[in-house]
Amino acid sequence: TAPAVSPTLPQQRWIWLTPADGITGGGSASFAGVTWWSAVTDRTFRTGAGFVASPATNFTLAKWNFVGVAAELWLPRGPHFGAVEVSVDGVAPTTVQLRAAVETRSEPVFRWAESAADAARAADLGIAHGHALLLRWGTSSDGDIETFDMPCDSVRFLPAV
């Protein structure tokens, strides 16, 4: 489930970051003239559009920067996708399998919430600190490198107040 929104702070609203934010926010838009991502119009993406790297490589990544206390990564699933690794601030990457028998509309595949200790440190300093959600190409469950496409869709975050 998504992190709870405080009932005492009704102004809290999730903010969306687009697929383009992930590509240009420090992701691999291109490297040495090679472009990994292609814009696609596809109903399985949250807004009907996104990016796909075909095939994904170990250079394929997207990164969304935000100042917030919670975040969700939304991605579609399908037979032409594979595993991806997701992390926030470089801590403990989580492998998410996007391969599915049929195409599935984008939904939250990864959720993150700031720890109580980090929130307390930020409060002590009187400043909210930024985070980076990183999406990278992954490997199969048996560790073998796969050839597959990798989608880039949306991130939504709950801003720090």
Side-chain angles (χ1 to χ4, degrees), residues 103-116:
E103 290 184 345
T104 305
R105 284 190 55 83
S106 191
E107 63 183 3
V109 298
F110 175 83
R111 290 183 169 98
W112 169 86
E114 188 171 56
S115 71

Side-chain angles (χ1 to χ4, degrees), residues 42-149:
D42 186 318
R43 65 177 179 75
T44 62
F45 285 80
R46 188 181 69 81
T47 64
F51 290 92
V52 172
S54 180
T57 72
N58 59 344
F59 292 109
T60 307
L61 63 97
K63 184 178 89 167
W64 292 266
N65 301 303
F66 64 95
V67 177
V69 295
E72 295 179 335
L73 172 64
W74 289 55
L75 295 173
R77 297 178 192 267
H80 50 288
F81 297 137
V84 295
E85 290 186 355
V86 186
S87 64
V88 174
D89 301 333
V91 177
T94 298
T95 300
V96 177
Q97 183 55 254
L98 300 177
R99 187 175 311 278
V102 296
E103 290 184 345
T104 305
R105 284 190 55 83
S106 191
E107 63 183 3
V109 298
F110 175 83
R111 290 183 169 98
W112 169 86
E114 188 171 56
S115 71
D118 285 346
R121 274 193 295 275
D124 287 345
L125 295 172
I127 57 168
H129 55 282
H131 301 283
L133 188 148
L134 187 66
L135 169 66
R136 297 188 61 97
W137 167 79
T139 57
S140 66
S141 58
D142 60 9
D144 286 340
I145 295 174
E146 298 181 76
T147 301
F148 59 84
D149 297 345

